[in-house]
Structure formats: structure tokens, C-alpha cells
Coordinates of all heavy atoms in Angstrom, one line a residue:
M3 N -5.6 -73.8 -186.0 CA -5.3 -74.5 -187.3 C -6.2 -75.7 -187.5 O -6.1 -76.6 -186.7 CB -3.8 -74.9 -187.3 CG -3.3 -75.2 -188.6 SD -1.5 -75.7 -188.3 CE -0.9 -75.0 -189.8
S4 N -7.2 -75.6 -188.3 CA -8.2 -76.6 -188.4 C -7.7 -77.8 -189.1 O -8.1 -78.9 -188.8 CB -9.4 -76.0 -189.2 OG -9.0 -75.6 -190.5
S5 N -6.8 -77.7 -190.1 CA -6.2 -78.8 -190.8 C -4.8 -78.6 -191.1 O -4.4 -77.4 -191.2 CB -7.0 -79.2 -192.0 OG -6.8 -78.1 -193.0
T6 N -4.0 -79.6 -191.2 CA -2.6 -79.4 -191.5 C -2.3 -80.0 -192.8 O -2.9 -81.0 -193.3 CB -1.7 -80.1 -190.4 OG1 -2.1 -81.5 -190.3 CG2 -1.9 -79.5 -189.0
S7 N -1.3 -79.4 -193.5 CA -0.9 -79.9 -194.8 C -0.1 -81.1 -194.7 O 0.4 -81.5 -193.6 CB -0.1 -78.8 -195.5 OG 1.1 -78.6 -194.8
Q8 N 0.1 -81.8 -195.8 CA 1.0 -83.0 -195.8 C 2.4 -82.5 -195.5 O 3.1 -83.3 -194.8 CB 1.0 -83.6 -197.2 CG 1.7 -85.0 -197.3 CD 1.1 -86.0 -196.3 OE1 -0.1 -86.2 -196.3 NE2 2.0 -86.6 -195.5
K9 N 2.8 -81.4 -195.9 CA 4.2 -80.9 -195.6 C 4.3 -80.7 -194.1 O 5.4 -81.1 -193.6 CB 4.3 -79.5 -196.3 CG 5.7 -79.0 -196.3 CD 5.8 -77.7 -197.1 CE 7.2 -77.2 -197.2 NZ 7.3 -75.9 -198.0
H10 N 3.3 -80.2 -193.4 CA 3.3 -80.1 -192.0 C 3.5 -81.5 -191.3 O 4.3 -81.7 -190.5 CB 2.1 -79.4 -191.5 CG 1.9 -79.3 -190.0 ND1 2.0 -78.1 -189.3 CD2 1.6 -80.3 -189.1 CE1 1.8 -78.4 -188.0 NE2 1.6 -79.7 -187.9
K11 N 2.6 -82.4 -191.8 CA 2.6 -83.7 -191.2 C 4.0 -84.4 -191.4 O 4.5 -85.1 -190.5 CB 1.5 -84.6 -191.8 CG 0.1 -84.1 -191.4 CD -0.9 -84.9 -192.2 CE -2.3 -84.3 -191.9 NZ -3.4 -84.8 -192.8
D12 N 4.6 -84.3 -192.6 CA 5.9 -84.9 -192.8 C 6.9 -84.3 -191.9 O 7.8 -85.0 -191.4 CB 6.3 -84.7 -194.3 CG 5.4 -85.5 -195.3 OD1 4.7 -86.4 -194.8 OD2 5.5 -85.2 -196.5
F13 N 6.9 -82.9 -191.7 CA 7.9 -82.3 -190.9 C 7.9 -82.7 -189.5 O 8.9 -83.0 -188.9 CB 7.8 -80.7 -191.0 CG 8.9 -80.0 -190.4 CD1 10.1 -79.8 -191.1 CD2 8.9 -79.6 -189.1 CE1 11.1 -79.1 -190.6 CE2 9.9 -78.9 -188.5 CZ 11.1 -78.7 -189.2
V14 N 6.7 -82.7 -188.9 CA 6.6 -83.0 -187.5 C 6.7 -84.5 -187.2 O 6.7 -84.9 -186.0 CB 5.3 -82.5 -186.8 CG1 5.2 -80.9 -187.0 CG2 4.0 -83.1 -187.4
A15 N 6.7 -85.4 -188.2 CA 6.7 -86.8 -188.0 C 8.1 -87.4 -187.6 O 8.2 -88.5 -187.2 CB 6.2 -87.5 -189.2
E16 N 9.2 -86.5 -187.8 CA 10.5 -87.1 -187.5 C 11.4 -86.0 -187.0 O 11.1 -84.8 -187.2 CB 11.1 -87.7 -188.8 CG 11.1 -86.7 -189.9 CD 11.5 -87.4 -191.3 OE1 11.4 -88.6 -191.4 OE2 11.9 -86.6 -192.2
P17 N 12.6 -86.3 -186.5 CA 13.6 -85.3 -186.1 C 14.0 -84.4 -187.3 O 13.9 -84.8 -188.4 CB 14.8 -86.2 -185.6 CG 14.2 -87.5 -185.2 CD 13.0 -87.7 -186.2
M18 N 14.4 -83.2 -186.9 CA 14.6 -82.2 -187.9 C 15.9 -82.5 -188.7 O 15.9 -82.2 -189.9 CB 14.7 -80.8 -187.2 CG 14.6 -79.7 -188.1 SD 14.5 -78.1 -187.2 CE 13.1 -78.3 -186.2
G19 N 17.0 -82.9 -188.1 CA 18.2 -83.1 -188.8 C 18.7 -81.9 -189.6 O 18.7 -80.8 -189.1
E20 N 19.0 -82.1 -190.8 CA 19.6 -81.1 -191.7 C 18.5 -80.6 -192.7 O 18.9 -80.2 -193.8 CB 20.8 -81.6 -192.4 CG 22.0 -81.9 -191.5 CD 22.7 -80.7 -191.0 OE1 22.7 -79.7 -191.7 OE2 23.1 -80.7 -189.8
K21 N 17.3 -80.7 -192.4 CA 16.2 -80.3 -193.4 C 16.4 -78.9 -193.8 O 16.7 -78.0 -193.0 CB 14.8 -80.5 -192.8 CG 14.4 -82.0 -192.6 CD 13.0 -82.1 -192.1 CE 12.7 -83.5 -191.9 NZ 11.4 -83.7 -191.3
S22 N 16.1 -78.6 -195.0 CA 16.2 -77.3 -195.6 C 15.1 -76.4 -195.0 O 14.0 -76.9 -194.5 CB 15.9 -77.4 -197.1 OG 15.6 -76.1 -197.6
V23 N 15.2 -75.1 -195.0 CA 14.2 -74.2 -194.5 C 12.9 -74.4 -195.3 O 11.8 -74.2 -194.8 CB 14.7 -72.7 -194.6 CG1 14.9 -72.3 -196.0 CG2 13.8 -71.8 -193.8
N24 N 13.0 -74.9 -196.6 CA 11.8 -75.1 -197.4 C 11.0 -76.3 -196.9 O 9.9 -76.4 -197.3 CB 12.2 -75.4 -198.9 CG 12.9 -74.2 -199.5 OD1 12.8 -73.0 -199.0 ND2 13.5 -74.4 -200.6
A25 N 11.5 -77.1 -196.0 CA 10.8 -78.2 -195.5 C 9.7 -77.7 -194.5 O 8.8 -78.5 -194.2 CB 11.7 -79.2 -194.8
L26 N 9.8 -76.5 -194.0 CA 8.9 -76.0 -193.0 C 7.5 -75.7 -193.7 O 7.5 -75.1 -194.8 CB 9.4 -74.7 -192.4 CG 10.6 -74.8 -191.4 CD1 11.2 -73.5 -191.2 CD2 10.1 -75.4 -190.1
A27 N 6.5 -76.0 -193.0 CA 5.1 -75.7 -193.5 C 5.0 -74.2 -193.6 O 5.5 -73.4 -192.8 CB 4.0 -76.2 -192.6
G28 N 4.4 -73.7 -194.7 CA 4.3 -72.3 -194.9 C 5.4 -71.6 -195.6 O 5.3 -70.5 -196.1
I29 N 6.5 -72.3 -195.8 CA 7.7 -71.8 -196.4 C 7.9 -72.5 -197.7 O 8.3 -73.6 -197.8 CB 9.0 -71.9 -195.5 CG1 8.8 -71.3 -194.1 CG2 10.2 -71.3 -196.2 CD1 8.4 -69.8 -194.1
G30 N 7.7 -71.7 -198.8 CA 7.9 -72.3 -200.1 C 9.2 -71.8 -200.7 O 10.1 -71.3 -200.0
E31 N 9.3 -71.9 -202.0 CA 10.6 -71.5 -202.7 C 10.9 -70.0 -202.5 O 12.1 -69.7 -202.2 CB 10.4 -71.8 -204.2 CG 11.7 -72.1 -204.9 CD 11.5 -72.6 -206.3 OE1 10.8 -73.6 -206.5 OE2 12.0 -72.0 -207.2
V32 N 10.0 -69.1 -202.7 CA 10.3 -67.7 -202.6 C 10.7 -67.3 -201.2 O 11.7 -66.7 -201.0 CB 9.1 -66.9 -203.1 CG1 9.3 -65.4 -202.9 CG2 8.8 -67.1 -204.6
L33 N 9.9 -67.7 -200.2 CA 10.2 -67.3 -198.8 C 11.5 -68.0 -198.4 O 12.3 -67.4 -197.6 CB 9.0 -67.7 -197.9 CG 7.7 -66.9 -198.1 CD1 6.7 -67.3 -197.0 CD2 7.9 -65.4 -198.1
G34 N 11.6 -69.3 -198.8 CA 12.8 -70.0 -198.5 C 14.1 -69.3 -199.0 O 15.1 -69.2 -198.2
K35 N 14.0 -68.8 -200.2 CA 15.2 -68.1 -200.8 C 15.5 -66.8 -199.9 O 16.6 -66.5 -199.6 CB 14.8 -67.7 -202.2 CG 15.9 -67.0 -202.9 CD 16.8 -68.0 -203.7 CE 17.8 -67.2 -204.6 NZ 19.1 -67.6 -204.4
R36 N 14.4 -66.1 -199.6 CA 14.6 -64.9 -198.8 C 15.2 -65.2 -197.4 O 16.1 -64.4 -197.0 CB 13.2 -64.2 -198.6 CG 12.7 -63.5 -199.8 CD 11.3 -62.9 -199.6 NE 10.7 -62.5 -200.8 CZ 9.4 -62.3 -200.9 NH1 8.6 -62.4 -199.8 NH2 8.9 -61.9 -202.0
L37 N 14.7 -66.3 -196.8 CA 15.3 -66.7 -195.5 C 16.8 -67.1 -195.7 O 17.6 -66.7 -194.9 CB 14.5 -67.8 -194.9 CG 13.2 -67.4 -194.3 CD1 12.3 -68.6 -194.0 CD2 13.4 -66.6 -193.0
E38 N 17.1 -67.8 -196.7 CA 18.4 -68.3 -197.0 C 19.4 -67.1 -197.1 O 20.5 -67.1 -196.6 CB 18.5 -69.2 -198.2 CG 18.0 -70.5 -198.0 CD 17.9 -71.4 -199.3 OE1 18.4 -70.9 -200.3 OE2 17.3 -72.5 -199.2
E39 N 18.9 -66.1 -197.8 CA 19.7 -64.9 -198.1 C 20.0 -64.1 -196.8 O 21.0 -63.4 -196.7 CB 19.0 -63.9 -199.0 CG 19.0 -64.4 -200.5 CD 18.1 -63.6 -201.4 OE1 17.3 -62.7 -200.9 OE2 18.0 -64.0 -202.6
K40 N 19.2 -64.4 -195.8 CA 19.4 -63.7 -194.5 C 20.1 -64.7 -193.5 O 20.2 -64.4 -192.3 CB 18.1 -63.2 -193.9 CG 17.6 -62.1 -194.8 CD 16.5 -61.3 -194.3 CE 16.2 -60.2 -195.3 NZ 15.1 -59.3 -194.9
G41 N 20.6 -65.8 -194.0 CA 21.3 -66.7 -193.1 C 20.5 -67.9 -192.5 O 21.0 -68.7 -191.8
F42 N 19.2 -67.9 -192.8 CA 18.3 -69.0 -192.2 C 18.1 -70.0 -193.3 O 17.1 -70.2 -193.9 CB 17.0 -68.3 -191.8 CG 17.1 -67.3 -190.7 CD1 17.3 -66.0 -191.0 CD2 17.1 -67.7 -189.4 CE1 17.5 -65.0 -190.0 CE2 17.3 -66.8 -188.4 CZ 17.4 -65.4 -188.7
D43 N 19.2 -70.8 -193.5 CA 19.2 -71.8 -194.6 C 18.7 -73.2 -194.2 O 18.3 -74.0 -195.1 CB 20.6 -72.0 -195.2 CG 21.6 -72.4 -194.2 OD1 21.4 -72.1 -193.0 OD2 22.6 -73.0 -194.6
K44 N 18.6 -73.5 -192.9 CA 18.2 -74.8 -192.5 C 17.0 -74.6 -191.5 O 16.8 -73.5 -190.9 CB 19.3 -75.5 -191.7 CG 20.5 -75.8 -192.5 CD 20.3 -76.9 -193.5 CE 21.6 -77.2 -194.2 NZ 21.4 -78.2 -195.2
A45 N 16.1 -75.6 -191.5 CA 15.0 -75.5 -190.6 C 15.4 -75.3 -189.1 O 14.8 -74.5 -188.4 CB 14.1 -76.8 -190.7
Y46 N 16.5 -75.9 -188.7 CA 17.0 -75.8 -187.3 C 17.4 -74.3 -187.0 O 17.3 -73.9 -185.8 CB 18.0 -76.8 -187.0 CG 19.4 -76.6 -187.6 CD1 20.3 -75.7 -187.2 CD2 19.7 -77.5 -188.7 CE1 21.5 -75.5 -187.8 CE2 21.0 -77.4 -189.3 CZ 21.9 -76.4 -188.8 OH 23.1 -76.3 -189.4
V47 N 17.8 -73.6 -188.0 CA 18.2 -72.2 -187.7 C 16.9 -71.3 -187.5 O 16.9 -70.5 -186.6 CB 19.0 -71.6 -188.9 CG1 19.4 -70.2 -188.6 CG2 20.2 -72.5 -189.2
V48 N 15.9 -71.6 -188.2 CA 14.6 -71.0 -188.0 C 14.0 -71.4 -186.6 O 13.5 -70.6 -185.8 CB 13.6 -71.2 -189.1 CG1 12.2 -70.6 -188.8 CG2 14.1 -70.7 -190.4
L49 N 14.2 -72.7 -186.3 CA 13.8 -73.2 -185.0 C 14.6 -72.4 -183.9 O 14.0 -72.1 -182.8 CB 14.1 -74.7 -184.8 CG 13.9 -75.3 -183.4 CD1 12.4 -75.2 -183.0 CD2 14.5 -76.7 -183.4
G50 N 15.8 -72.2 -184.1 CA 16.6 -71.4 -183.1 C 16.0 -70.0 -182.8 O 15.9 -69.6 -181.7
Q51 N 15.6 -69.4 -183.9 CA 14.9 -68.1 -183.8 C 13.6 -68.2 -183.0 O 13.3 -67.4 -182.2 CB 14.7 -67.4 -185.1 CG 14.2 -66.0 -185.1 CD 15.1 -65.0 -184.4 OE1 16.3 -65.1 -184.4 NE2 14.5 -64.0 -183.8
F52 N 12.9 -69.2 -183.4 CA 11.6 -69.5 -182.7 C 11.8 -69.7 -181.2 O 11.0 -69.2 -180.4 CB 11.1 -70.8 -183.3 CG 9.8 -71.3 -182.8 CD1 8.6 -70.7 -183.1 CD2 9.7 -72.4 -181.9 CE1 7.4 -71.2 -182.6 CE2 8.5 -72.9 -181.4 CZ 7.3 -72.3 -181.8
L53 N 12.9 -70.4 -180.8 CA 13.2 -70.6 -179.4 C 13.7 -69.3 -178.7 O 13.3 -69.0 -177.6 CB 14.2 -71.7 -179.2 CG 13.7 -73.1 -179.7 CD1 14.8 -74.1 -179.6 CD2 12.5 -73.6 -178.9
V54 N 14.5 -68.5 -179.4 CA 15.0 -67.3 -178.9 C 13.8 -66.4 -178.6 O 13.8 -65.6 -177.6 CB 16.0 -66.6 -179.9 CG1 16.2 -65.1 -179.6 CG2 17.3 -67.3 -179.9
L55 N 12.8 -66.4 -179.4 CA 11.5 -65.7 -179.2 C 10.6 -66.3 -178.2 O 9.4 -66.0 -178.1 CB 10.8 -65.4 -180.6 CG 11.6 -64.5 -181.5 CD1 11.0 -64.5 -182.9 CD2 11.9 -63.1 -181.0
R56 N 11.1 -67.3 -177.5 CA 10.4 -68.1 -176.5 C 9.1 -68.7 -176.9 O 8.1 -68.8 -176.2 CB 10.1 -67.1 -175.3 CG 11.4 -66.6 -174.7 CD 11.1 -65.8 -173.5 NE 12.3 -65.4 -172.8 CZ 12.9 -66.2 -171.8 NH1 12.4 -67.3 -171.4 NH2 14.0 -65.8 -171.2
K57 N 9.1 -69.2 -178.2 CA 7.9 -69.8 -178.8 C 6.7 -68.9 -178.8 O 5.6 -69.4 -178.8 CB 7.6 -71.2 -178.1 CG 8.8 -72.1 -178.1 CD 8.3 -73.5 -177.7 CE 9.1 -73.9 -176.4 NZ 8.7 -75.2 -175.9
D58 N 6.9 -67.6 -178.7 CA 5.8 -66.7 -178.7 C 5.2 -66.5 -180.1 O 5.9 -66.1 -181.0 CB 6.3 -65.3 -178.1 CG 5.2 -64.3 -178.0 OD1 4.9 -63.7 -179.0 OD2 4.6 -64.2 -176.9
E59 N 3.9 -66.8 -180.2 CA 3.3 -66.8 -181.6 C 3.4 -65.4 -182.2 O 3.8 -65.2 -183.3 CB 1.9 -67.3 -181.5 CG 1.3 -67.3 -182.9 CD -0.1 -68.0 -182.9 OE1 -0.6 -68.4 -181.9 OE2 -0.6 -68.2 -184.1
E60 N 3.0 -64.4 -181.5 CA 2.9 -63.0 -182.0 C 4.3 -62.5 -182.4 O 4.5 -62.0 -183.5 CB 2.3 -62.1 -181.0 CG 2.1 -60.7 -181.5 CD 1.5 -59.7 -180.5 OE1 0.8 -60.2 -179.6 OE2 1.6 -58.5 -180.7
L61 N 5.3 -62.8 -181.6 CA 6.7 -62.3 -181.9 C 7.3 -63.1 -183.1 O 7.9 -62.5 -184.0 CB 7.6 -62.5 -180.7 CG 7.4 -61.6 -179.5 CD1 8.3 -62.0 -178.3 CD2 7.6 -60.2 -179.9
F62 N 7.0 -64.4 -183.2 CA 7.5 -65.2 -184.3 C 6.9 -64.8 -185.6 O 7.5 -64.6 -186.6 CB 7.3 -66.7 -184.0 CG 7.9 -67.6 -185.1 CD1 9.3 -67.7 -185.2 CD2 7.0 -68.2 -186.0 CE1 9.8 -68.5 -186.3 CE2 7.6 -68.9 -187.1 CZ 9.0 -69.1 -187.2
R63 N 5.6 -64.6 -185.6 CA 4.9 -64.2 -186.8 C 5.4 -62.9 -187.3 O 5.6 -62.7 -188.5 CB 3.3 -64.1 -186.5 CG 2.6 -65.4 -186.4 CD 1.2 -65.1 -186.0 NE 0.3 -66.3 -186.2 CZ -0.5 -66.5 -187.2 NH1 -0.5 -65.6 -188.2 NH2 -1.2 -67.6 -187.3
E64 N 5.6 -61.9 -186.3 CA 6.1 -60.6 -186.7 C 7.5 -60.7 -187.3 O 7.9 -60.1 -188.3 CB 6.1 -59.7 -185.5 CG 6.5 -58.3 -185.8 CD 6.4 -57.4 -184.5 OE1 5.4 -57.5 -183.8 OE2 7.4 -56.6 -184.3
W65 N 8.4 -61.6 -186.7 CA 9.7 -61.8 -187.2 C 9.7 -62.4 -188.6 O 10.4 -61.9 -189.4 CB 10.5 -62.7 -186.2 CG 11.8 -63.1 -186.8 CD1 13.0 -62.4 -186.7 CD2 12.1 -64.3 -187.5 NE1 14.0 -63.0 -187.4 CE2 13.5 -64.2 -187.9 CE3 11.4 -65.4 -187.9 CZ2 14.1 -65.2 -188.6 CZ3 12.0 -66.4 -188.6 CH2 13.4 -66.3 -189.0
L66 N 8.8 -63.4 -188.8 CA 8.7 -64.0 -190.1 C 8.3 -63.0 -191.2 O 8.8 -63.0 -192.3 CB 7.8 -65.2 -190.0 CG 8.0 -66.3 -191.0 CD1 9.4 -66.9 -191.0 CD2 7.0 -67.5 -190.7
K67 N 7.3 -62.2 -190.8 CA 6.8 -61.2 -191.8 C 7.9 -60.2 -192.1 O 8.2 -59.9 -193.3 CB 5.6 -60.4 -191.1 CG 5.1 -59.3 -192.0 CD 3.9 -58.6 -191.3 CE 3.5 -57.4 -192.1 NZ 2.5 -56.6 -191.3
D68 N 8.6 -59.7 -191.1 CA 9.7 -58.7 -191.3 C 10.9 -59.3 -192.0 O 11.6 -58.6 -192.8 CB 10.2 -58.1 -189.9 CG 9.1 -57.3 -189.3 OD1 8.1 -56.9 -189.9 OD2 9.3 -57.0 -188.1
T69 N 11.2 -60.6 -191.8 CA 12.4 -61.2 -192.3 C 12.2 -61.6 -193.8 O 13.1 -61.5 -194.6 CB 12.8 -62.4 -191.5 OG1 13.0 -62.0 -190.1 CG2 14.1 -63.0 -191.9
C70 N 11.0 -62.2 -194.1 CA 10.9 -62.7 -195.4 C 9.6 -62.3 -196.1 O 9.3 -62.8 -197.2 CB 11.1 -64.3 -195.5 SG 9.7 -65.1 -194.6
G71 N 8.8 -61.6 -195.5 CA 7.5 -61.1 -196.1 C 6.4 -62.1 -196.1 O 5.5 -62.1 -196.9
A72 N 6.4 -63.1 -195.1 CA 5.4 -64.1 -195.0 C 4.0 -63.5 -194.7 O 3.9 -62.6 -193.9 CB 5.8 -65.1 -193.9
N73 N 3.0 -64.0 -195.4 CA 1.7 -63.5 -195.2 C 1.1 -64.2 -193.9 O 1.7 -65.1 -193.3 CB 0.8 -63.7 -196.4 CG 0.5 -65.1 -196.8 OD1 0.4 -66.0 -195.9 ND2 0.3 -65.4 -198.0
T74 N -0.1 -63.8 -193.6 CA -0.7 -64.3 -192.3 C -0.8 -65.9 -192.3 O -0.5 -66.5 -191.3 CB -2.1 -63.7 -192.1 OG1 -1.9 -62.3 -192.1 CG2 -2.8 -64.1 -190.8
K75 N -1.3 -66.4 -193.4 CA -1.4 -67.9 -193.5 C -0.1 -68.6 -193.4 O 0.1 -69.6 -192.7 CB -2.1 -68.3 -194.8 CG -2.3 -69.9 -194.8 CD -2.9 -70.3 -196.1 CE -3.2 -71.8 -196.2 NZ -2.2 -72.7 -195.5
Q76 N 0.9 -68.1 -194.1 CA 2.3 -68.6 -194.1 C 2.9 -68.5 -192.7 O 3.5 -69.5 -192.2 CB 3.2 -67.9 -195.1 CG 2.8 -68.2 -196.5 CD 3.3 -67.2 -197.5 OE1 3.6 -66.0 -197.2 NE2 3.6 -67.6 -198.7
Q77 N 2.7 -67.4 -192.0 CA 3.1 -67.3 -190.7 C 2.5 -68.3 -189.7 O 3.2 -68.9 -188.9 CB 2.8 -65.9 -190.1 CG 3.4 -64.7 -190.8 CD 2.7 -63.4 -190.5 OE1 2.1 -63.3 -189.5 NE2 2.8 -62.4 -191.4
G78 N 1.2 -68.5 -189.9 CA 0.5 -69.4 -189.0 C 0.9 -70.9 -189.3 O 1.1 -71.7 -188.3
D79 N 1.1 -71.2 -190.5 CA 1.5 -72.5 -190.9 C 2.9 -72.9 -190.3 O 3.1 -73.9 -189.8 CB 1.5 -72.7 -192.4 CG 0.1 -72.8 -193.0 OD1 -0.9 -72.9 -192.3 OD2 0.0 -72.8 -194.3
C80 N 3.8 -71.9 -190.5 CA 5.2 -72.1 -190.0 C 5.2 -72.2 -188.5 O 5.8 -73.1 -187.9 CB 6.1 -71.0 -190.5 SG 7.8 -71.4 -190.2
Y81 N 4.5 -71.3 -187.8 CA 4.4 -71.3 -186.4 C 3.8 -72.6 -185.9 O 4.4 -73.3 -185.0 CB 3.6 -70.1 -185.8 CG 3.3 -70.3 -184.4 CD1 4.3 -69.9 -183.4 CD2 2.1 -70.9 -183.9 CE1 4.0 -70.0 -182.1 CE2 1.9 -71.0 -182.5 CZ 2.9 -70.6 -181.6 OH 2.7 -70.8 -180.3
G82 N 2.7 -73.1 -186.4 CA 2.1 -74.3 -186.0 C 3.0 -75.5 -186.2 O 3.0 -76.4 -185.4
C83 N 3.7 -75.5 -187.3 CA 4.6 -76.6 -187.6 C 5.7 -76.7 -186.5 O 6.0 -77.7 -186.0 CB 5.2 -76.3 -189.0 SG 6.3 -77.6 -189.6
L84 N 6.4 -75.6 -186.3 CA 7.5 -75.5 -185.3 C 6.9 -75.8 -183.9 O 7.6 -76.5 -183.1 CB 8.2 -74.2 -185.3 CG 9.1 -74.0 -186.5 CD1 9.6 -72.6 -186.6 CD2 10.2 -75.0 -186.6
R85 N 5.8 -75.3 -183.6 CA 5.2 -75.5 -182.2 C 4.9 -77.0 -182.0 O 5.3 -77.6 -181.0 CB 3.9 -74.7 -182.1 CG 3.2 -74.8 -180.8 CD 3.9 -74.0 -179.8 NE 3.8 -74.6 -178.5 CZ 4.1 -73.9 -177.4 NH1 4.5 -72.7 -177.4 NH2 4.0 -74.5 -176.2
E86 N 4.3 -77.7 -183.0 CA 4.0 -79.1 -182.9 C 5.3 -79.9 -182.8 O 5.4 -80.9 -182.1 CB 3.1 -79.6 -184.0 CG 2.6 -81.0 -183.8 CD 1.6 -81.5 -184.9 OE1 0.9 -80.6 -185.4 OE2 1.6 -82.7 -185.1
W87 N 6.3 -79.5 -183.6 CA 7.6 -80.3 -183.6 C 8.2 -80.2 -182.2 O 8.7 -81.2 -181.7 CB 8.5 -79.7 -184.7 CG 9.7 -80.5 -184.8 CD1 9.9 -81.6 -185.7 CD2 11.0 -80.4 -184.0 NE1 11.2 -82.1 -185.5 CE2 11.8 -81.4 -184.5 CE3 11.4 -79.6 -183.0 CZ2 13.1 -81.6 -183.9 CZ3 12.6 -79.7 -182.5 CH2 13.5 -80.8 -182.9
C88 N 8.2 -79.0 -181.6 CA 8.7 -78.8 -180.3 C 8.0 -79.6 -179.3 O 8.6 -80.2 -178.4 CB 8.7 -77.3 -179.9 SG 9.9 -76.3 -180.7
D89 N 6.6 -79.6 -179.4 CA 5.8 -80.4 -178.4 C 6.2 -81.9 -178.5 O 6.1 -82.6 -177.5 CB 4.3 -80.2 -178.7 CG 3.9 -78.8 -178.3 OD1 4.6 -78.1 -177.7 OD2 2.7 -78.5 -178.8
S90 N 6.6 -82.4 -179.7 CA 6.9 -83.8 -179.9 C 8.3 -84.1 -179.5 O 8.6 -85.2 -179.1 CB 6.7 -84.2 -181.4 OG 5.3 -84.0 -181.7
F91 N 9.3 -83.2 -179.8 CA 10.7 -83.6 -179.7 C 11.5 -82.8 -178.6 O 12.6 -83.2 -178.4 CB 11.4 -83.4 -181.1 CG 10.9 -84.3 -182.1 CD1 9.9 -84.0 -183.0 CD2 11.4 -85.6 -182.2 CE1 9.5 -84.9 -184.0 CE2 10.9 -86.5 -183.1 CZ 10.0 -86.2 -184.0
L92 N 10.9 -81.8 -178.0 CA 11.7 -81.1 -177.0 C 11.1 -81.4 -175.6 O 10.0 -81.7 -175.4 CB 11.7 -79.6 -177.2 CG 12.4 -79.1 -178.4 CD1 12.4 -77.6 -178.5 CD2 13.9 -79.6 -178.4

């Protein structure tokens, strides 16, 4: 990831708390709605899936694509965001 978005920087700058799934980099309104419909309404719920998949990039990207239809860029943005957050807070 050559550069990070402001959304990414904002997310990784502080504890996750009760942030909406839409706070994740790469997850906008449409993907957020799809994730919410499948029970992933908070960023920490997506983080839980990320951890269940052992922070494996390929598995997480595939899960995100299958779950909400995220494209390659969105998958990478979300993975990078969660990975950096974990590196800072876990």
C-alpha cells in the first residue's frame, strides 16, 4: 500500500471502540450496508473475523469479496487498515 487514505489514518490513530463498519478503510456506504445485513455492523465484528482468519491476507480478502462483494482495492484497503490497527493496539 503506497499511500493511505485519511479514513485509514483516522481509523488506526485510536482505539476502535464502537466504530461503525463504515469507519473501516475500503468500506463505504454500499459495502457497509451489505456487511450490516450479514451481522457485521461494527468494525470490531469485522476485526473478529480478521482474527479468526489469523490475519491472513488472502483468506480475509476472499472472505470480504464473498461476504459483501468488495473489489480488489477495497479488500486491500480494509486489510491494510485492520493489519495496521492490530500492529498498534494488539
Side-chain angles (χ1 to χ4, degrees):
M3 194 178 215
S4 58
S5 66
T6 55
S7 66
Q8 188 61 47
K9 190 174 184 180
H10 174 110
K11 291 173 187 170
D12 291 345
F13 189 85
V14 301
E16 61 188 16
M18 196 173 301
E20 294 289 323
K21 288 182 182 176
S22 162
V23 69
N24 294 344
L26 289 163
I29 305 299
E31 205 171 306
V32 173
L33 296 184
K35 181 94 170 126
R36 290 178 190 160
L37 285 165
E38 286 174 7
E39 288 169 357
K40 297 195 176 177
F42 297 91
D43 59 332
K44 300 287 185 183
Y46 68 78
V47 182
V48 177
L49 172 67
Q51 184 65 29
F52 178 77
L53 296 174
V54 164
L55 296 172
R56 300 182 171 272
K57 301 190 241 180
D58 182 278
E59 183 172 6
E60 187 178 335
L61 290 175
F62 182 74
R63 283 174 169 264
E64 186 176 313
W65 173 81
L66 205 55
K67 178 182 173 188
D68 292 345
T69 304
C70 67
N73 67 31
T74 302
K75 182 182 184 326
Q76 292 162 330
Q77 294 164 27
D79 288 351
C80 190
Y81 171 82
C83 182
L84 287 172
R85 182 78 211 193
E86 187 174 331
W87 187 91
C88 286
D89 290 347
S90 297
F91 293 98
L92 294 183

